Every structure is written in C-alpha cells, then in structure tokens.
Amino acid sequence: MSKPSIGFVGLGAMGFGMATHLVKEGYPVHGYDVFPASVERFNAAGGIPASSLLESAQDKQFYVCMVASAPQAQSVLFGEGGIVKALSPNATLLLCSTVPATYAQSVAAELQSCGRGDILFIDAPVSGGAKRAADGTLSIMAGASDAALESGRFLLQAMSDSNKLYLVPGGIGAGSNMKMVHQVLAGIHILGASEAMGFAAQLGLDAIKTADAIKSSDSWTWMHENRLQRMLEEDWHPGASALTIILKDVGIITTSARQSHFPTPLCSAAEQVYLSALLQGYGAVDDSSMVRQYFAEPIMKVSSTKSAEETAESLRLVLDLMEVTNLVAAAEAIAFARYLNVDLKQFFTLVSDAAGASRQFMTKGLEMIEGRIGEGAGSETIDAAISRLEKASQKARDLHCPLNLGNAALSVLYISKRSGLGAEGSTSVMKTFGN
C-alpha cells in the first residue's frame, strides 16, 4: 500500500531533518521554503521540490508547517497564495512551529471563519534539535480534537521517538502551552550554563574540571552538558542553536506571563541578557556564546594556579550557584504550568527526558507538583539556600562578574524569607509564586 503524499513548508535546520526523515520513511514529501537553496538541498536528499507554497499544498491530504514564528505561520497559512485554500477537503494540518497557545487557537478559529472548518488541525510543537529531527526521534506535544489526533497519529509517530509523543489534554493550544512551560526551563538553563562557566573562569578555575564536577553533581542540567563542547571550542558559527531561536521562545513566555500577570523572574532575567547580546550582534551565533557575557576571553585559556583547598572552595561557589538557581527555576516553571492548567504529571515526565531537564527538577519537581513542598527528607531550608547563594553572589560582585540568574533567584528566595518561609524546606519557594 502506497503512503500518502505530504506537503511541507519550512526547510530550516529542524524542518529539513523532519522532512527528509519522512522521505526516508517512504513518504512522497513535497517541500517548500522561501530560500531556493533549501529547496534544492531537499531535492538532492530525495524530496520533491515545490516551486511555490501553493504547489506544495495543492490537493494534499496531509500537511506539516514548520516555519520559525507565528507571523510566518500566519502568512503561509492564510496569506496570498497560502496553503489553507489549496488543501484537500478534510485534510489534516500539523502546526509544528513554536507559537503562543493563543495563536494556535486563533488558527483554529480562522479555519472556521474562512470556510475551512473541515480541516483537522493539530497544534503540535516539537523539541529535540536538528539531529533528532533527522532521526525521527523528536519530542512532540500534540493538542487537538480526538478526530484530528487519530487522523494525524501516523505522521506524529513517524517524526517522534516512540516514548516522546505526548498527546496533551485540552485541545488546541494545549500542545503549545506544554512546549512553552518546558521552554521556561530551557531558556533559563541555556544562560545558566554560560553563567556558571563564565563565573568559574572569573574564579580562575579550569573549565574542563569545572564541567566534569557540574556533570556529576546536583547542579547538572541537560543544557549545560549539551552546550558545553561548543562553549569550550567556541564552535559558534554558524550557530547550531542560534540565539534568536531561544530569544523567540523566551519572548513567547514573557509575553504570556505579562498577559496573565504571572511572575517569571528568572526567565525574564534571561531574556534581558539575550536581548543585550542581540544588540551586540550575537543573533545568528550559537547560544553557547553567551559565556562571553560573563568572561571576555575563551574559557579554555584559563590556567588555574589555585591550591587544592582554594580550588575546592571556588568550585563549591559555582556548584551552589547552579544548584540553587536551578531549584528556583524548577519552581518558576512548575508554578507557571500549574497556573496554565497544564497536566503536571505529564509535564514532569516530558521535562525529565527532554532538554529542560535538571537534577533539581528531577529530584524535587514531584515534591513541588504533589504539594509536598518543604517535606523532603533532610530538606535544606530556604535560609540555608540563601546563605549558599549569597556567598556566590558576593564573590561574583567582588570580581565584577554579573550573575543575572543567580541574583534573580536570590531575590525570589529573599521574598520567600520575608514571607515567613525561611525555616521551611527550600522547595517551599513554590509558595512565592502564589500556588
């Protein structure tokens, strides 16, 4: 039995991998991109090149949209020569771009108002990077009607890891909300990796030994481990994960937070650093380059002359910075997810095996989610967490080293303390976010 033809728009780093994987799986994929070179590359990889957006969608029963942003999606879906009018009756449309949930919901409404309510629409943002896209092992967070999910299930399964296809309850917008709250952690941890390694360099610590210590400690994050090699080698051009990508995602978060009047202090602090770096010309550069916001030279040039005791003391400051900051980041993400009525157990499962993972989230996240905050056996108090982070913050100040995330986390903990929570377990910082 022959496989159905699939239309595809957006052949960038992620989209190219997704589309070519479908080709390898035996699907005739008609691909289009605004950059002719991308279409030519897709053709060379076995795809069917479309000469126009309209051609890629003409009479297609299944279509994948993987453009970079909501404005781009609006243009390709509903603009002049857009795909919606060209799709077959009762076609299935997957929007895999990272967009605000409100935008995904507006697409569903516009499909109805423009007379294409027959289209089965799936809000299906993806995560995992270009390699996993090409391997067909992405994480996909899909929200839609039961009928749409049933129709598009084979396509979702073809592009995702068998254990990482999340059918998110709540319909259109639910998938985008799940992706957004995951990106709270991703956006913080990307900068957190650079902040920790830059601080270590300012302290005169060896970069590789510091990184090894982080990886084996409670300070570990997936993003630190993933970005580390590019940070050490300064392999930034072209960016494997351009700064503009995470800046766009963080912008979705902070805009949604403002609309909801919900505090996202760490994510907002990260956004300000990313915006500053954008003005410095880092937009197309890999986001691991953010280490330069904390240390002006390659961190591999640092040669430690410290004694063993001095090294241990300085390393402790770096580990404490990451560990406590990651704890507050976990609380921020979980609290925002709860506010948005995201399925928290599903959120925990997704994050623990995705790019937003951290040792703090994985060991203390369920305590926060299940309302057992401050009850962990031998749990550190908020006062003790403050003490550790204060030492790192003061040392950084003495060195004239910014700790954007560390100081934002410290401010959250101070609010917790002033609310009478100082003697409670550190996961009680969740209460500071109001839920």
Side-chain angles (χ1 to χ4, degrees):
M1 182 177 176
S2 62
K3 295 186 176 182
S5 293
I6 297 166
F8 201 107
V9 62
L11 300 173
M14 289 281 285
F16 183 83
M18 293 163 67
T20 53
H21 175 73
L22 291 172
V23 170
K24 292 172 188 173
E25 290 293 302
Y27 292 97
V29 182
H30 299 250
Y32 179 75
D33 195 278
V34 292
F35 295 105
S38 296
V39 179
E40 292 171 10
R41 182 176 170 227
F42 180 61
N43 183 30
I48 302 169
S51 61
S52 68
L53 183 60
L54 194 64
E55 182 183 319
S56 74
Q58 197 69 52
D59 300 324
K60 296 296 183 300
Q61 194 65 40
F62 299 94
Y63 201 94
V64 178
C65 178
M66 188 54 192
V67 294
S69 65
Q72 289 183 15
Q74 184 67 14
S75 177
V76 302
L77 293 175
F78 301 107
E80 185 176 350
I83 67 174
V84 166
K85 292 180 180 178
L87 292 174
S88 295
N90 305 308
T92 299
L93 170 63
L94 278 66
L95 178 59
C96 293
S97 310
T98 298
V99 299
T102 51
Y103 176 70
Q105 291 162 347
S106 77
V107 170
E110 191 163 351
L111 287 171
Q112 292 290 337
S113 65
C114 76
R116 289 309 313 261
D118 59 298
I119 290 176
L120 296 170
F121 176 54
I122 304 177
D123 166 34
V126 302
S127 179
K131 184 179 186 304
R132 282 177 54 192
D135 292 340
T137 57
L138 289 168
S139 296
I140 302 182
M141 295 134 271
S145 67
D146 290 344
L149 290 172
E150 185 59 32
S151 177
R153 186 184 298 268
F154 79 94
L155 200 47
L156 294 166
Q157 290 174 333
M159 296 187 292
S160 65
D161 184 285
S162 59
N163 297 316
K164 295 180 180 178
L165 172 56
Y166 299 92
L167 303 182
V168 185
I172 299 299
S176 286
N177 266 343
M178 182 69 81
K179 173 68 185 288
M180 180 179 71
V181 290
H182 171 272
Q183 292 304 95
V184 171
L185 292 163
I188 294 169
H189 293 165
I190 285 171
L191 186 64
S194 284
E195 184 163 294
M197 296 304 292
F199 181 37
Q202 293 279 12
L203 288 165
L205 292 172
D206 178 87
I208 293 177
K209 291 179 180 178
T210 300
D212 287 343
I214 290 170
K215 285 190 281 188
S216 62
S217 75
D218 287 340
S219 303
W220 173 88
T221 66
W222 187 96
M223 283 297 185
H224 176 269
E225 187 167 343
N226 179 265
R227 298 308 199 260
L228 177 63
Q229 202 58 39
R230 301 202 294 273
M231 196 184 300
L232 295 176
E233 296 175 358
E234 301 210 341
D235 180 19
W236 300 336
H237 306 278
S241 296
L243 176 68
T244 50
I245 296 173
I246 192 60
L247 179 57
K248 179 208 66 170
D249 290 359
V250 168
I252 290 172
I253 295 161
T254 57
T255 298
S256 176
R258 280 190 292 273
Q259 291 170 345
S260 301
H261 307 296
F262 194 90
T264 53
L266 271 66
C267 201
S268 296
E271 181 182 38
Q272 297 308 304
V273 179
Y274 295 147
L275 287 169
S276 178
L278 184 70
L279 293 176
Q280 297 167 40
Y282 282 84
V285 177
D286 193 84
D287 56 35
S288 62
S289 65
M290 291 302 94
V291 70
R292 282 296 178 86
Q293 302 299 307
Y294 300 92
F295 194 72
E297 299 292 330
I299 58 176
M300 286 292 286
K301 285 187 175 181
V302 176
S303 179
S304 180
T305 58
K306 292 178 177 291
S307 67
E309 183 178 352
E310 290 171 331
T311 296
E313 184 179 320
S314 294
L315 184 57
R316 185 70 261 163
L317 293 174
V318 176
L319 297 178
D320 286 348
L321 166 68
M322 282 195 78
E323 184 180 335
V324 179
T325 299
N326 293 343
L327 171 71
V328 179
E332 181 172 313
I334 292 168
F336 196 26
R338 176 172 288 162
Y339 178 82
L340 295 170
N341 295 315
V342 169
D343 184 314
L344 294 181
K345 290 293 181 69
Q346 189 177 52
F347 177 56
F348 180 81
T349 301
L350 184 153
V351 171
S352 295
D353 196 28
S358 73
R359 198 85 68 209
Q360 289 298 297
F361 183 91
M362 294 162 68
T363 57
K364 297 179 180 177
L366 274 182
E367 187 179 325
M368 298 182 193
I369 286 169
E370 294 174 352
R372 297 181 288 107
I373 52 179
E375 297 178 8
S379 178
E380 177 183 53
T381 64
I382 283 177
D383 281 341
I386 286 174
S387 178
R388 288 201 287 151
L389 197 48
E390 279 179 334
K391 291 174 184 175
S393 177
Q394 186 57 53
K395 184 63 177 179
R397 179 63 186 84
D398 294 343
L399 294 170
H400 299 158
C401 176
L403 294 185
N404 307 86
L405 294 175
N407 282 297
L410 187 57
S411 292
V412 173
L413 291 169
Y414 282 151
I415 294 170
S416 299
K417 180 179 176 64
R418 290 181 64 82
S419 299
L421 303 175
E424 293 193 14
S426 59
T427 53
S428 291
V429 70
M430 269 283 290
K431 297 178 183 178
T432 307
F433 292 92
N435 56 4

